[in-house]
Amino acid sequence: MLLHLLVLAPFAAAILMIATSKEDPKSSSRLAFLFGFAFVAMSIALIASGNQATEAIEWFHIPGAKGAVYYYLYSHGLGAWMVFLSCALSLVALMTARNTLDKNYRNFAIGIFALMGAMNGTFLAADAVLFFFFFEAMVFPAAVLIAGFGGKERRKAAMTFAIYTLVGSAPMMVALWYLITLADNSLVLSLAVALQNLDPATQMTLLLCFLLAFLVKTPIFPFHGWQAITYAEAPAPLSAILTGAMSKAGVFGFIAWILPIFPLSMEVVDSMMWLGLVTAIYGALMALRATDGKKLLAFSSMSHLGLAVAGVFSLSESMLPAVLVLLVAHGLSAGAQFYLMGIAERFAGTRDIEQLGGLATRNPVFGSLFGFLAVLSLAVPGTAGFVGEFTVLMSLWDMGPLPALAAGLCLILSATYMLRFVQKVIFGKPAREYEDSKRMTAIEGSSIGVMGVLLLVFGMHPAFITNALQLFDESAVQEMNKLTHPAEDAQTVEASADTTGEAIVDENIAAVAQPMTDDDLRQLDSNLKANGFSDEERASLIAQLKNMSESEVAEAQEEGALEQNEANVKEASENE
């Protein structure tokens, strides 16, 4: 029930907001706050309740597909924390927008709730078609909000955002349709099994189609052309949601859909890791030279997400908790900084950091909060950002010293541009007069301050985040197997599973009982690493294979041939 509420209730809240008065933003804001607090409470309950799933409901059939598309929701630690970011950042966006929007507040709240429902559906969908539906649905409320409430170039920004993200996802739609025509249904296990039977060239083509959609949404260089103008022209509360929650859909896709379905070669893994590191360095350098405050934060976000993608494709044992902590820390810190930048723009009427300055003198509370959040974003010890970035750095060290050095360079550059940002905005002499009436309100300061406190709490005790991790438990796998064999009874399924298991074992034995080349051993080591085997376990298994003599291999092959002959003789006698 909780999963259904988190996906469907935000859309119901958007509809109910229509009933409020457009001329009375106070009543609209009170109802919006009530809904926002309820959704945050539900997201916290989702994290605390652990992995859970709804009953799979048959939704519709796609022409050419073997099975049905299911309305099937599943929550694991990664998805639950992304839902928390979606709900929490949306609530703070509703709070901060109250002082910048007057008669249009109701329409803004409608768009925010619609966007929240689409984001929650993306992070909780267990069916690939359902995931793609919500993944694309996020674009429309976000584009409408940008076009309706953005800056001077808001229409251009909305069109750029929509075209990039929709076109980038088009190949994934085609690849997904092709894949579900081969699979029993559109669940993870069925897609993975269907993919194994395809030739390597087809597998690579399908993989590239999926990767492109997630690379654009994150965004990763060179598919980032939409980000800077979108984040700069969108209203600051929306920019905070885009960078703090919606951009996580790309990284989430890599972890929840790419890694479980596609067999990845070391060439693909290395390429994606370096693409993430190049993005991290490029984003940091662009932030260093940016003069628009919101564009600076946009490139900073791009840099941190590039580091997260590099961490994902390090495929180390500590990858998943490291990346999750990094994503949560980035969502809170980057979101808070966009909210503060929006307040600074309200004070000065500009986003140009060369025209800002002296805000610490004009508004000491704002200056203190701005400096506090900037320091937290630098990943100093004791913060969640430090835990996430340091553990990702250690994961990259497993891939070699060069990737770790590249990640370390990103951390140095982030400190450089963030300290410059602080100096330009809150210190120095003001370049223009500020209106004293446009001060930061108590509700704005307290909501952003809570985000800073959470960064400290998660930094001191990251187990609050990492203890929720378990992508697919046994019950989820059993449920997916039931949906794959709906017409068979339990005994038939069990017998089929035993037969399939024996066939797989025989196939694996035959594969191992061959002289293995160095390339085969490297590929095996990569697969073992991706499946969570430690360095010692992998080394032991590979050493055993290397020590297998040719005589032992020949003996294994001879035994296999004798067994096959016996089976043929038995079959012939039965036929007679």
Side-chain angles (χ1 to χ4, degrees), residues 498-513 560 563-564:
D498 292 341
T499 304
T500 304
E502 292 174 1
I504 292 175
V505 170
D506 291 341
E507 182 181 352
N508 290 339
I509 292 174
V512 171
E563 292 176 359
Q564 183 63 41

Side-chain angles (χ1 to χ4, degrees), residues 547-561:
N547 292 332
M548 180 181 288
S549 64
E550 293 184 1
S551 60
E552 291 173 332
V553 172
E555 182 180 352
Q557 292 176 334
E558 183 179 351
E559 290 177 357

Side-chain angles (χ1 to χ4, degrees), residues 59-319:
W59 191 10
F60 63 91
H61 286 264
I62 294 179
K66 290 184 179 179
V69 174
Y70 294 96
Y71 181 80
Y72 181 33
L73 304 177
Y74 178 70
S75 170
H76 43 69
L78 177 63
W81 274 104
M82 296 303 101
V83 169
F84 170 78
L85 288 178
S86 168
C87 296
L89 292 172
S90 297
L91 173 60
V92 180
L94 293 169
M95 291 178 173
T96 56
R98 184 180 182 180
N99 298 310
T100 55
L101 301 174
D102 190 8
K103 294 183 179 180
N104 289 327
Y105 182 85
R106 183 196 70 173
N107 295 339
F108 181 80
I110 292 172
I112 290 296
F113 284 126
L115 178 59
M116 182 199 299
M119 289 190 295
N120 291 353
T122 301
F123 297 130
L124 296 178
D127 182 281
V129 177
L130 183 65
F131 167 81
F132 184 79
F133 171 79
F134 284 119
F135 187 75
E136 292 297 274
M138 293 188 296
V139 176
F140 299 102
V144 170
L145 287 170
I146 295 169
F149 300 94
K152 295 180 180 179
E153 299 184 8
R154 58 184 180 273
R155 289 181 176 82
K156 178 182 177 182
M159 287 297 296
T160 303
F161 168 71
I163 291 173
Y164 258 92
T165 52
L166 292 176
V167 172
S169 299
M172 178 181 172
M173 178 180 66
V174 178
L176 181 59
W177 176 81
Y178 175 77
L179 202 52
I180 61 178
T181 61
L182 306 176
D184 293 317
N185 51 53
S186 49
L187 302 179
V188 171
L189 292 181
S190 295
L191 296 179
V193 171
L195 195 72
Q196 299 300 321
N197 299 323
L198 300 177
D199 61 272
T202 304
Q203 290 181 0
M204 179 59 68
T205 302
L206 297 174
L207 173 61
L208 293 176
C209 292
F210 274 71
L211 286 175
L212 179 62
F214 300 139
L215 290 171
V216 172
K217 192 78 77 175
T218 302
I220 297 297
F221 178 88
F223 309 102
H224 66 288
W226 63 270
Q227 187 200 38
I229 186 173
T230 301
Y231 286 14
E233 296 301 323
L238 178 60
S239 297
I241 298 175
L242 294 178
T243 188
M246 186 174 173
S247 64
K248 306 300 186 293
V251 183
F252 177 85
F254 291 128
I255 299 174
W257 294 98
I258 295 293
L259 296 184
I261 294 177
F262 292 91
L264 302 178
S265 64
M266 282 305 298
E267 289 77 8
V268 172
V269 170
D270 288 340
S271 298
M272 289 300 301
M273 180 193 68
W274 279 108
L275 196 59
L277 290 174
V278 168
T279 300
I281 296 174
Y282 173 82
L285 292 174
M286 293 298 291
L288 192 60
R289 66 187 295 270
T291 56
D292 185 314
K294 291 174 75 174
K295 287 187 177 180
L296 185 152
L297 293 176
F299 286 119
S300 171
S301 175
M302 178 181 172
S303 177
H304 284 85
L305 291 172
L307 191 62
V309 170
V312 168
F313 287 93
S314 68
L315 300 182
S316 68
E317 294 180 58
S318 60
M319 175 274 289

